[in-house]
Amino acid sequence: MATDPTAATWPRDFVWGSSTSSYQIEGAAREDGRGLSIWDTRCLMKGKVANGDTGDVACDHYHRYREDVALMKELGLQVYRFSVAWPRVLPRGRGVANEAGLDFYDRLVDTVLEAGIEPWLCLYHWDLPQALDDLGGWTNRDSAGWFADYTALVAKRYGDRVKCFATFNEFAVFTMFGYAIDWGAPGITDRAAHLKAIHHVNLAHGASVDVLRSLVRGVSIGAVHNWQLTRAEGGKPENEDAAEMLDQHWNRAFPDPQLLGVYPPLIATAIEPYVQAGDMARICRPIDWFGLNHYGPIFVKADPSATWGFAWGGPPDDAPRSEIGWPIYPGDFRDVLIQLTQRYKLPVYVTENGCGGDDKPGADGKVDDPKRIAFLSAYIGAMHEAIEAGADVRGYLVWSLLDNFEWGSGYTQRFGIVHVDYETQKRTPKSSARWFADLITATRVP
Ligand code: IFM
């Protein structure tokens, strides 16, 4: 019998919130001195993003952030995780800062705080400045230093008001899709580039942690990982090795070196040529929490023609799926939360969870999304079961506050609990937003 999260008792300090990311909602891509990112570039490439969509306007959050923060307040959110667009504050990725861009995040942080919400700042959610990609991006070892300098700029500017920082969002996704599989920017498919990117991003993480620790008094530092069970497609033995290979690349290539000081065995030898003396100590720096983004398992199949010999497969025909076809496995979510607590011994915050759909307003203007409510109820119930089984889960941030630019899928997939009409920019809280607000109220210990 699934746990009903609204009737469960939650830990006293458990926090509820939502997450967003800069490129997916801000828009104003060419305004106030913002530089270009690798996603601006990718959106201009034919066939890379559905319908030729771009993040040029997105949810126009750059101009409408006050309205969006008011919505968060109305829903009772306690925490808001957003990301800073590196090219907005450093248009060329390094060197001269852009005061107008820095001002925007000043205004945003102040507005969030005035609403009684705690701002959590993520330094990198995939929008690398194009000028740095022109120098090799994450395949260039200097990228760790560029990221440390960018961290220092952000820490000095907002560290008086923001105390919770994440270095990166979903290390494995943007490195694998950007450098091994052409599903994301910059769209390279090369093993060596992928290995270099993995190692340099790990170095960048470690350097950033040190900068944050030295510059922000009372800081709480985390890193956000996508961790999904990798299941052999069709349960077939010939897909088992592929599932193991993906597990080590997708789930362990970042948290293992960052928190345990070693690369997983299937990566260790291949990555050795890029590892210099002292690197593992540079990467493995103490942090305060593990951020988990989780949606469901990945079904994997062997594909000898692919960069790493694996490819995404499909779930069984009878698997429950969301409107956009992603498998719904709340039991996996529970298991992952328990495993992470045991493996890394850090408090876990669920920094993303949710589901995509094709939500539309009805004749009455209301947006009903019962499937999302069922999804959230099942996953949040499973999270509660994990806590009861000993998982150290301290908070849950729904993905996402707003419908937004969903990368290669453009605007075809809606993940928000608030509907956005992209023609008019009208925001309409969906029935899931009301459900989530009621859940927050019900779980607050008086
Ligand atoms: O929209 C993305 C987000 O940017 C990263 N995590 C998964 C979400 C849904 O695909």
Side-chain angles (χ1 to χ4, degrees):
M1 179 72 181
T3 302
D4 173 3
T6 56
T9 303
W10 291 85
R12 174 171 284 276
D13 297 326
F14 197 85
V15 293
W16 300 96
S18 73
S19 289
T20 63
S21 92
S22 45
Y23 192 72
Q24 294 181 271
I25 64 167
E26 283 180 4
R30 283 163 190 76
E31 232 175 289
D32 286 347
R34 176 186 177 278
L36 292 181
S37 78
I38 53 176
W39 269 94
D40 295 296
T41 307
R42 187 165 176 88
C43 288
L44 296 178
M45 294 176 180
K46 214 169 169 349
K48 298 297 185 195
V49 177
N51 304 318
D53 288 342
T54 74
D56 284 0
V57 178
C59 308
D60 196 28
H61 175 75
Y62 187 75
H63 299 111
R64 296 169 194 263
Y65 65 95
R66 285 187 190 283
E67 183 187 348
D68 295 336
V69 175
L71 274 169
M72 293 179 218
K73 184 174 180 180
E74 195 185 309
L75 297 175
L77 305 190
Q78 295 157 288
V79 165
Y80 173 51
R81 181 177 73 108
F82 64 99
S83 74
V84 168
W86 187 347
R88 196 179 287 291
V89 298
L90 281 168
R92 299 201 52 76
R94 55 197 184 141
V96 183
N98 175 29
E99 196 51 38
L102 288 164
D103 274 354
F104 167 67
Y105 297 107
D106 270 330
R107 295 195 296 277
L108 176 65
V109 165
D110 289 344
T111 308
V112 169
L113 285 168
E114 277 158 25
I117 298 167
E118 203 183 316
W120 289 12
L121 190 157
C122 178
L123 285 155
Y124 189 82
H125 199 125
W126 310 356
D127 38 5
L128 183 73
Q130 181 58 51
L132 297 183
D133 187 58
D134 295 343
L135 301 174
W138 296 113
T139 67
N140 185 334
R141 192 176 161 101
D142 290 347
S143 55
W146 304 333
F147 192 68
D149 292 346
Y150 158 60
T151 302
L153 175 76
V154 171
K156 282 183 195 155
R157 182 78 175 213
Y158 311 111
D160 57 337
R161 289 154 290 160
V162 177
K163 295 297 170 189
C164 189
F165 286 81
T167 54
F168 286 85
N169 186 75
E170 296 183 3
F171 302 79
V173 176
F174 74 86
T175 49
M176 189 177 294
F177 289 0
Y179 296 93
I181 304 174
D182 182 14
W183 284 353
I188 292 166
T189 50
D190 177 67
R191 270 168 96 108
H194 185 214
L195 288 163
K196 283 189 234 173
I198 291 173
H199 190 58
H200 299 154
V201 168
N202 271 324
L203 286 169
H205 160 84
S208 176
V209 170
D210 286 348
V211 170
L212 289 167
R213 197 71 77 196
S214 70
L215 291 179
V216 182
R217 189 189 293 262
V219 72
S220 171
I221 306 172
V224 174
H225 302 280
N226 50 286
W227 187 294
Q228 297 169 269
L229 296 189
T230 58
R231 294 169 174 269
E233 189 187 56
K236 293 185 186 148
E238 64 265 34
N239 293 328
E240 293 291 348
D241 286 352
E244 180 60 31
M245 183 66 111
L246 180 64
D247 180 46
Q248 297 199 16
H249 278 82
W250 190 254
N251 292 327
R252 293 171 49 194
F254 295 92
D256 275 13
Q258 291 170 16
L259 299 168
L260 307 178
V262 285
Y263 277 107
L266 292 176
I267 297 178
T269 312
I271 212 159
E272 220 168 280
Y274 312 109
V275 180
Q276 296 182 8
D279 277 3
M280 299 317 287
R282 290 185 187 102
I283 292 169
C284 186
R285 313 299 299 149
I287 60 169
D288 305 296
W289 50 273
F290 186 107
L292 171 68
N293 291 359
H294 184 95
Y295 294 84
I298 306 181
F299 291 84
V300 195
K301 59 183 177 194
D303 178 357
S305 70
T307 310
W308 287 105
F310 56 71
W312 262 238
D317 290 343
D318 58 353
R321 293 170 188 245
S322 68
E323 264 176 39
I324 61 165
W326 291 13
I328 301 179
Y329 281 65
D332 278 18
F333 185 41
R334 178 196 56 227
D335 295 348
V336 166
L337 288 165
I338 296 168
Q339 284 170 19
L340 291 178
T341 300
Q342 290 167 350
R343 186 173 180 82
Y344 298 116
K345 304 187 173 35
L346 275 178
V348 178
Y349 287 95
V350 176
T351 35
E352 282 187 27
N353 173 244
C355 70
D358 178 27
D359 318 294
K360 294 185 184 73
D364 57 1
K366 293 188 177 151
V367 185
D368 246 342
D369 56 346
K371 288 192 182 146
R372 183 170 291 100
I373 295 177
F375 178 98
L376 294 176
S377 179
Y379 271 70
I380 295 172
M383 175 173 68
H384 190 271
E385 289 166 20
I387 294 171
E388 298 235 290
D392 186 6
V393 189
R394 306 277 180 96
Y396 175 96
L397 281 61
V398 70
W399 184 268
S400 181
L401 178 73
L402 304 170
D403 291 338
N404 58 47
F405 174 81
E406 177 56 20
W407 309 112
S409 303
Y411 295 99
T412 60
Q413 299 184 358
R414 294 175 175 273
F415 275 83
I417 54 172
V418 174
H419 180 271
V420 176
D421 178 330
Y422 296 115
E423 295 293 313
T424 61
Q425 292 294 346
K426 182 171 188 278
R427 274 74 163 139
T428 308
K430 302 176 190 178
S431 46
S432 59
R434 301 288 168 219
W435 179 89
F436 193 53
D438 289 347
L439 171 72
I440 297 172
T441 308
T443 58
R444 282 217 174 119
V445 180

